[in-house]
Amino acid sequence: MTPSVNNHTSEIQFTDHREGGEEVPHLHADLVLPMDNNNNTKMQVHADQKCSTNKRYLPLLVINYVILFVGSLSASLLSKYYFIHKGSSIWVSTWVQTSGFPLLMIPICVPYLFNFTKRVPFTDFTPRMLILSISVGIMLGFNNLFFSWGNSYLPISTSALLLSSQLVFNLLFSVIIVNQKITFSNVNCVILLTLSSILLALDSSNERPKGLTQRNYFFGFFCTIAAGLLFAFYLPLMEKIYKRVNCYEMVMEMQLVMEFVATTMATIGMASGGGFAKMKAESTMVFDKGCMVYWVTVVGNVVTWQLCFMGTAGMVFLTSSLTGGICMTALLSMNVLGGVLVYKDAFGGFKAVSTILCIWGFLSYVYGVYKVNRKEQHKALTRNKNSSDSSTDIVNVVTY
């Protein structure tokens, strides 16, 4: 562990050197302490919330998984509800996915306003982070469009299980981008979830919506696969970026910029095709549940999609891109059951086996992670007993 000094910000960083020579920040705590009696200089220490020993880690992890569960299930059902009741605008479906980005100001500002942290929002947001956020936001905009196309043409159960195929590419990109270790548990999980998608494809021809042409069906099929591919690349890319981020609030700040960019793209698409005027006409003359239900559906989509994106970003930040992807894929089985219960999607033998494989793969991965964590904890305890210096955390000291 070696200290490094940043002359521009009076910053002292204690860095833990891990395998491969990478320097990984570990602790960045939220305390204000006196440093110099002569000039009343103060020191701020910010706790790295990715560290499992941080007191905010477990509550954040639980809250994010609940948010992801509620957001994923609700967003899928509400998106399908919009199309079932004669909503037809792909741009509206795309726009609602990220247009609720102002809601992210709640997790960004509330911790500071209630003195949970001393960090002022956006103070550490560098130009490099801004460029990265804009670039990822463009990719997110295309991903949302592909998802909307796929969701408009396919039954919710089919599109949900098709998206599980992204795990194969998630694992591949994770190995390339963030040096994810390949273990039996994650490979077994990916294989099982891929098999579930193959079984679904074999049975998918029996559940096409009435009036859907073969061309549109396959268009929706491949758009869903494309959305899964982009999302598989998005997750490890964000994990790579989050390695330099120490607090959940900064993750939400980056997410806000990404969603602003994606919303801008969708807004341009809507404006160019007269989407906003069509949206008003659709609510009064096309949507068969009436104007009030139409706008409730739109607002519900906006809120639930925000929950979904917040939960995803938080899971990647607190765990890993592969874990986040696997959690989302496991939740897809809940989307399948939701589609069957709410919209009466067919649930035959193939789909039942696919759901079982989904759950089996997720549980095998969770067990594998549990075993690895137990092994790492044992190694850490052994190191602490054999070392006189038990301080392996990284401290980020900022002088005012």
Side-chain angles (χ1 to χ4, degrees):
M1 186 167 64
T2 59
S4 60
V5 180
N6 186 325
N7 294 326
H8 296 287
T9 60
S10 301
E11 186 177 272
I12 305 175
Q13 242 183 0
F14 291 91
T15 306
D16 185 13
H17 293 270
R18 298 184 179 177
E19 290 184 19
E22 184 180 8
E23 297 182 355
V24 184
H26 211 60
L27 180 66
H28 189 268
D30 261 347
L31 300 171
V32 178
L33 302 171
M35 273 187 65
D36 189 346
N37 294 328
N38 296 327
N39 55 11
N40 293 323
T41 304
K42 291 184 178 180
M43 170 180 73
Q44 186 177 18
V45 185
H46 299 287
D48 183 1
Q49 295 165 9
K50 296 191 298 295
C51 180
S52 59
T53 58
N54 187 289
K55 65 180 180 179
R56 292 180 65 185
Y57 176 82
L58 186 58
L60 275 175
L61 187 63
V62 173
I63 290 171
N64 272 274
Y65 194 78
V66 171
I67 288 174
L68 180 58
F69 175 81
V70 174
S72 176
L73 180 60
S74 302
S76 295
L77 292 176
L78 284 171
S79 295
K80 194 65 183 178
Y81 184 85
Y82 169 77
F83 286 110
I84 283 177
H85 294 290
K86 300 184 179 180
S88 59
S89 175
I90 301 296
W91 286 113
V92 170
S93 179
T94 304
W95 185 75
V96 298
Q97 292 181 47
T98 54
S99 60
F101 66 86
L103 294 173
L104 293 175
M105 292 302 295
I106 297 173
I108 290 173
C109 295
V110 165
Y112 177 73
L113 294 176
F114 286 89
N115 294 320
F116 293 129
T117 178
K118 299 296 181 181
R119 177 185 176 273
V120 179
F122 294 99
T123 52
D124 304 323
F125 208 83
T126 64
R128 181 174 181 271
M129 292 175 63
L130 179 62
I131 293 172
L132 287 172
S133 299
I134 292 173
S135 301
V136 176
I138 294 172
M139 183 176 67
L140 187 62
F142 283 109
N143 178 79
N144 293 344
L145 180 59
F146 287 141
F147 178 84
S148 296
W149 267 328
N151 203 40
S152 65
Y153 291 129
L154 298 179
I156 187 171
S157 52
T158 302
S159 61
L161 285 176
L162 274 177
L163 287 171
S164 67
S165 64
Q166 59 93 12
L167 265 184
V168 177
F169 302 100
N170 190 346
L171 178 59
L172 177 62
F173 290 138
S174 294
V175 170
I176 296 172
I177 297 174
V178 294
N179 298 320
Q180 172 71 47
K181 290 183 179 179
I182 297 179
T183 63
F184 173 77
S185 63
N186 57 37
V187 171
N188 181 58
C189 177
V190 168
I191 291 174
L192 289 172
L193 292 174
T194 303
L195 285 175
S196 76
S197 297
I198 293 173
L199 285 175
L200 175 70
L202 294 174
D203 193 44
S204 61
S205 60
N206 298 322
E207 56 174 29
R208 297 180 190 178
K210 292 181 180 180
L212 180 63
T213 65
Q214 184 177 16
R215 180 178 175 224
N216 285 343
Y217 181 85
F218 281 107
F219 181 72
F221 189 94
F222 287 112
C223 280
T224 303
I225 294 295
L229 277 172
L230 280 175
F231 198 72
F233 181 72
Y234 164 82
L235 291 176
L237 179 62
M238 293 315 301
E239 181 184 353
K240 183 76 171 179
I241 295 172
Y242 291 159
K243 283 186 176 182
R244 300 297 177 183
V245 176
N246 292 310
C247 62
Y248 183 77
E249 293 80 13
M250 187 177 290
V251 171
M252 292 298 103
E253 290 164 5
M254 296 186 70
Q255 192 68 31
L256 186 145
V257 176
M258 294 175 203
E259 293 188 26
F260 172 78
V261 173
T263 302
T264 301
M265 292 174 62
T267 302
I268 292 172
M270 285 186 68
S272 63
F276 290 103
K278 290 179 182 178
M279 192 177 183
K280 184 176 180 180
E282 187 177 65
S283 67
T284 56
M285 295 182 291
V286 179
F287 198 73
D288 60 13
K289 289 293 183 178
C291 184
M292 180 64 70
V293 176
Y294 178 87
W295 291 110
V296 170
T297 302
V298 170
V299 173
N301 266 290
V302 169
V303 174
T304 55
W305 272 110
Q306 279 312 300
L307 294 177
C308 191
F309 278 117
M310 283 174 60
T312 302
M315 289 296 292
V316 173
F317 170 68
L318 295 168
T319 58
S320 69
S321 57
L322 186 60
T323 300
I326 286 175
C327 287
M328 289 196 66
T329 303
L331 288 175
L332 290 177
S333 63
M334 297 298 101
N335 293 353
V336 171
L337 297 178
V340 171
L341 293 174
V342 177
Y343 301 121
K344 309 302 179 185
D345 287 347
F347 194 79
F350 279 103
K351 193 169 291 181
V353 174
S354 294
T355 303
I356 292 172
L357 289 175
C358 237
I359 297 172
W360 180 13
F362 175 71
L363 292 179
S364 69
Y365 180 77
V366 170
Y367 179 69
V369 170
Y370 169 77
K371 287 176 63 178
V372 170
N373 286 342
R374 287 291 300 271
K375 187 176 180 180
E376 291 298 324
Q377 288 174 2
H378 178 72
K379 287 182 178 179
L381 288 174
T382 303
R383 281 197 304 267
N384 288 339
K385 290 179 181 179
N386 296 332
S387 174
S388 58
D389 184 10
S390 61
S391 176
T392 57
D393 291 331
I394 300 172
V395 179
N396 219 344
V397 182
V398 181
T399 304
Y400 291 85

